[in-house]
Amino acid sequence: MLKRDDWLDLARKLDWDFSYVEEREVFPEEISGSPWLTAETWKDWDEPYRTSYTEYVKNQSIKEASVHAVRDAVGKVEDFQKHDPSWINGLKLHAATLALAEFAAVVGNLRAARFGRDSAWRTTALLGALDELRHAQIPLLIMHELVRWDPQFDWTHKFFHTNNWIAIAGRHLVDELLITSDPMEFAVGTNFVFETGFTNLQFIGLSTMAHAAGDRMFEKMVKSIQTDEARHAQIGHPVLQKIIAHDPKRAQYLVDKWFWRNWLFFAVITGFSMDYLTPLKHRTQSFKEFMQEWVLDQFKRSLEEMGLALPWYWQQFLDAIDTYHHMVYASAYTYRATTWFNFALPGPEERTWLQEKYAKTWPLFDPIWEQITNRWRKSGPGVEWYTHGATPVTFCNLCQLVLCGGSPERNSAEVITRGARKYVFCSKPCRWIFESEPERYEHHKDVVMRILSGEAPGNLFELLRYFDLTPSIWGKDVAGGRYPWMQLSKG
Amino acid sequence: MAFQKIMPVDELWQGDMIGCEIEGTKVLLVRIDETIYAYEDRCAHLGVAISEGLLQDDVLTCCAHFYSYDARTGQGINPRSVCLRPFDVKIVDGNILVDIPPNPPGTHHEANT
């Protein structure tokens, strides 16, 4: 019998010459991606980490058994009830934004499994689709148990089906990145930038914090998911190399576009968790430090190796690491009822830690928290609305998130007029992405546009209903303002 | 840099591995039968400690993404294009000594693929 290494290459490369159809009919450019290249050009496509289907099934089965074993041991409601409430709310944020986004990635992978231009690529993408199916199911399974304890966990499944503003932003990203992109753009945006560039932040950085917080279930979940990532993420590199060889301008454009869009997503999801929702004693590094260790160095090295330039907005991005997630968190805290999870108020110890980690920029944010804290002191515990905004805010017409570019002193919002409509953007890169493909984005209605057109209500309380939120679900302060340090300071 | 004493041989059992840090360099010690091998404790992929993974027979598997290596040579099995950074080992008076060259830690060894 042949050894694995002797037959695997033969089994990976199963392309044949078409005799009664044109190659362009089998792989139309519209759905296979640009630049369109002949099969001959793709022949040397290679994924360094090899997997046969038999090995895949065997390995995945072991991984599944292992997740189930941990769930049996520490995945019950009472296990989660032991954790700090802040941590639990970080879980709600992750579970909701993760589960169905992973399901959307099934679609992207399946498109590549049919329209990817090399058979080894298509096979790797097919296994990727099976991976993503699993990544959707694991959080749904684990969090389902928790719904009877805390109905906010219901949003693990519900989130992407709502008109909540974060879901609108999430769909705007996920629909383009995972559901509608062609396999070449998917390979750059998802496999290369998202999975190779960013997910280590989540799956290695955050799982380290989960370990420190004693949440073995979350740690196991993200680690198990991560073991699949490198296998299908490796599609990105060889596809990007081909685009660079034949259309370097497009390669640079796709990298620049998707790095920025993915950055904003991770800044909110992971930035909130690492710097605000993980209890201080369990924080191993700041979001910024994780970004530097797991994203910046490696991403810069990858770009250099491939002969690509750093994105044109690199300095702006470096500045944003110090500010952006702090801006969004402060903004979202004061509009917490518009979300499905609860927010922690950073106390004196947290603020000292944030000052150490963000020495240059934290002095801009500290007064905001001082003011919020003073309002809590004035109102007393339980009076959520005294530290809450009352009028709807403005959103970016590209990323659909609140206008939180720049700093508290100088917002980086930009406005353009196109036809009869004005468009506002949180930052230059968001504006640049929109203006690069305006026909793709111009008809999308952000929250404000929906209000102005009568589709959504303008009154905040009615808007909460439009966001699918009810009093038992909508976000509150995690302690209802009852912080031991707040009482102490009072005296 | 000269050989440095890490631990007694008897404390590293056959078929076992251990990770330790010597002056800022993460070191992985592996014992297969009577032979001890030392590598930098960093997967060539993303630098995750190999000692947190698995040693089965003579195959080391990283816990993060399942990159696998031949424990006797450090050569990548899957993918084949990578390798672990080996350190020289000797046994003196029942102790494991490892020669850690003064290369900057964190050097990656992924070959161009």
Side-chain angles (χ1 to χ4, degrees), chain A residues 223-248:
Chain A
K223 276 190 169 171
S224 187
I225 289 174
Q226 178 65 2
T227 56
D228 295 340
E229 291 291 318
R231 181 172 17 74
H232 63 250
Q234 64 180 339
I235 292 170
H237 205 274
V239 174
L240 181 54
Q241 276 177 328
K242 285 283 180 231
I243 305 176
I244 293 169
H246 296 272
D247 191 349

Side-chain angles (χ1 to χ4, degrees), chain B residues 25-101:
Chain B
T25 301
K26 287 181 173 177
V27 179
L28 168 73
L29 295 176
V30 185
R31 182 166 175 176
I32 311 282
D33 300 326
E34 292 305 318
T35 311
I36 288 160
Y37 303 89
Y39 302 99
E40 188 176 7
D41 194 9
R42 294 174 59 90
C43 179
H45 182 216
L46 290 173
V48 172
I50 294 290
S51 57
E52 289 174 21
L54 283 176
L55 171 64
Q56 282 172 316
D57 300 324
D58 53 358
V59 177
L60 290 162
T61 305
C62 178
C63 66
H65 301 104
F66 290 4
Y67 270 40
S68 57
Y69 303 88
D70 184 332
R72 294 176 192 273
T73 61
Q75 181 58 47
I77 295 171
N78 197 3
R80 279 182 280 186
S81 54
V82 297
C83 60
L84 297 175
R85 180 183 174 207
F87 296 140
D88 287 336
V89 183
K90 63 181 180 183
I91 309 297
V92 177
D93 300 332
N95 288 308
I96 302 169
L97 278 69
V98 175
D99 183 17
I100 301 158

